[in-house]
Amino acid sequence: MVVHNLLPADFLRVRAKDVVADGVVSLTLEHPDGTRLPDWTPGAHIDLVLPDGTTRQYSLCGDRWDPGTYRIAVLREPAGRGGSAYVHDRLTPGDRVGVGGVHNRFPLVPADRYLFIAGGIGITPLLPMIRQAELVGAEWHLLYGGRTRASMAFHADLTHTYGERVRVRPQDEFGLLDLVARLSEPSPGTKVYCCGPGPLLAAVQAACAHWPAHSLRTERFTAADRSASVRRTPFEVELRRTGRTVTVTPDVSVLHAVRGAGAEVLSSCEQGTCGTCLVPVLEGTPEHRDAVLADHERASGDCMMPCVSRSHSDRLVLDL
């Protein structure tokens, strides 16, 4: 995971708020005094801290070459925990919001060709990837699905700018995306990037099962189904910086346990999908239960997501 420099301590200001689709608004953010914002790379997201204290994670979807603004898009989620409702109903231009940092767990890697597959609001991290692929002269195509055309943010701009390389397929007009037709034949040198709801990710993963290893890269906005934890007994977590030790019982997350011991750990989704709460592991063997870390990061065992992950060993030592 790539973590860029944190923003200045000051909150950012909402420069503009625009409706970009049914149930989707975009926010353009700037520093109040015009300070240059940290650079970012395609696939990056920010931790947005709302005035009511809610923290949520959103993909950056604006122009990465504009040093003065960040742009995100927020889908209204009626069944959510209130973050999107606050953005849609209460946040206005001129308001200030906090940004915890810029992270990238979904980076665009060099390739000869790209196939981008988006479902709904999953288009947001793919927008700067498309611009980057265009910049370097790589071959690319986008398959974009959603419930209705009106609910699909940025589709008109995409088709106007890129023409036939963009295929917009609303479900009420075309049914589900025809993944078999696009993925039946493996394409050497092609990277497949997919972001969207869980069923789409599962379908793309199944369709790419016979592709060369590491051809597919995904990002999810909702938690994957998780099996029961291997360990069902308490374990200890030592906070190395403070010297405190806390016992984590099966009914308490590591995140809540260490916060109870005084550790300040920023978190957002608390479902293992955003990577905000990543902490270094100094000793012990974590049981990874997140949807963020790559296989080699899990194997190294030197970091974990305390919101969902547990411990294989009797004791973990965290750099907190």
Side-chain angles (χ1 to χ4, degrees):
M1 175 188 295
V2 179
V3 181
H4 299 274
N5 292 332
L6 294 181
L7 292 168
D10 304 276
F11 283 1
L12 299 191
R13 179 172 56 205
V14 178
R15 174 194 284 186
K17 177 180 177 180
D18 301 293
V19 176
V20 293
D22 288 350
V24 182
V25 297
S26 73
L27 299 179
T28 301
L29 309 174
E30 64 183 359
H31 196 279
D33 64 9
T35 298
R36 179 189 180 99
L37 301 178
D39 294 337
W40 55 281
T41 53
H45 68 265
I46 59 173
D47 298 313
L48 191 72
V49 185
L50 298 170
D52 67 350
T54 301
T55 302
R56 294 291 181 267
Q57 168 252 326
Y58 297 106
S59 296
L60 289 168
C61 61
D63 181 2
R64 63 178 293 230
W65 304 110
D66 177 358
T69 65
Y70 288 156
R71 191 186 193 196
I72 61 174
V74 181
L75 170 69
R76 180 188 287 276
E77 299 182 84
R81 294 175 293 150
S84 67
Y86 190 103
V87 171
H88 277 256
D89 298 335
R90 300 175 60 183
L91 206 61
T92 61
D95 288 347
R96 296 193 179 193
V97 293
V99 176
V102 184
H103 312 268
N104 197 341
R105 59 179 174 83
F106 193 42
L108 185 70
V109 299
D112 296 329
R113 291 171 297 279
Y114 299 97
L115 174 58
F116 301 110
I117 303 175
I121 198 65
I123 189 64
T124 51
L126 302 185
L127 292 175
M129 293 186 183
I130 290 170
R131 298 188 191 103
Q132 182 69 15
E134 185 76 359
L135 179 66
V136 300
E139 180 184 338
W140 65 268
H141 289 87
L142 168 67
L143 183 60
Y144 183 11
R147 293 181 292 102
T148 65
R149 194 175 296 270
S151 71
M152 299 170 65
F154 310 113
H155 74 84
D157 290 342
L158 285 164
T159 53
H160 174 75
T161 304
Y162 301 115
E164 294 184 356
R165 282 180 290 177
V166 176
R167 299 191 69 184
V168 177
R169 293 293 183 267
Q171 186 174 346
D172 64 339
E173 298 177 30
F174 297 92
L176 297 176
L177 295 178
D178 189 356
L179 299 175
V180 174
R182 298 305 301 265
L183 300 170
S184 59
E185 293 296 328
S187 176
T190 298
K191 295 293 185 184
V192 180
Y193 277 78
C194 179
C195 184
L200 173 63
L201 297 182
V204 171
Q205 288 171 334
C208 287
H210 61 298
W211 280 53
H214 310 300
S215 295
L216 173 64
R217 293 171 179 258
T218 63
E219 182 175 53
R220 63 176 62 243
F221 292 144
T222 58
D225 292 334
R226 286 187 292 268
S227 59
S229 175
V230 173
R231 186 186 187 98
R232 300 300 299 165
T233 56
F235 56 92
E236 291 188 339
V237 173
E238 177 187 333
L239 311 182
R240 176 58 55 88
R241 296 186 202 175
T242 65
R244 296 182 180 178
T245 297
V246 60
T247 298
V248 182
T249 56
D251 60 330
V252 175
S253 70
V254 175
L255 176 64
H256 290 166
V258 300
R259 280 179 169 173
E264 295 185 4
V265 181
L266 184 66
S267 66
S268 177
C269 71
E270 298 196 13
Q271 300 179 64
T273 64
C274 73
T276 301
C277 65
L278 181 74
V279 297
V281 177
L282 302 178
E283 296 178 23
T285 306
E287 178 194 343
H288 298 291
R289 297 170 58 78
D290 63 273
V292 176
L293 296 176
D295 290 343
H296 71 279
E297 293 172 314
R298 293 168 181 264
S300 70
D302 60 2
C303 62
M304 68 181 290
M305 305 297 167
C307 64
V308 293
S309 295
R310 310 291 293 175
S311 178
H312 284 300
S313 54
D314 292 335
R315 184 180 183 86
L316 287 176
V317 180
L318 304 181
D319 187 15
L320 292 173

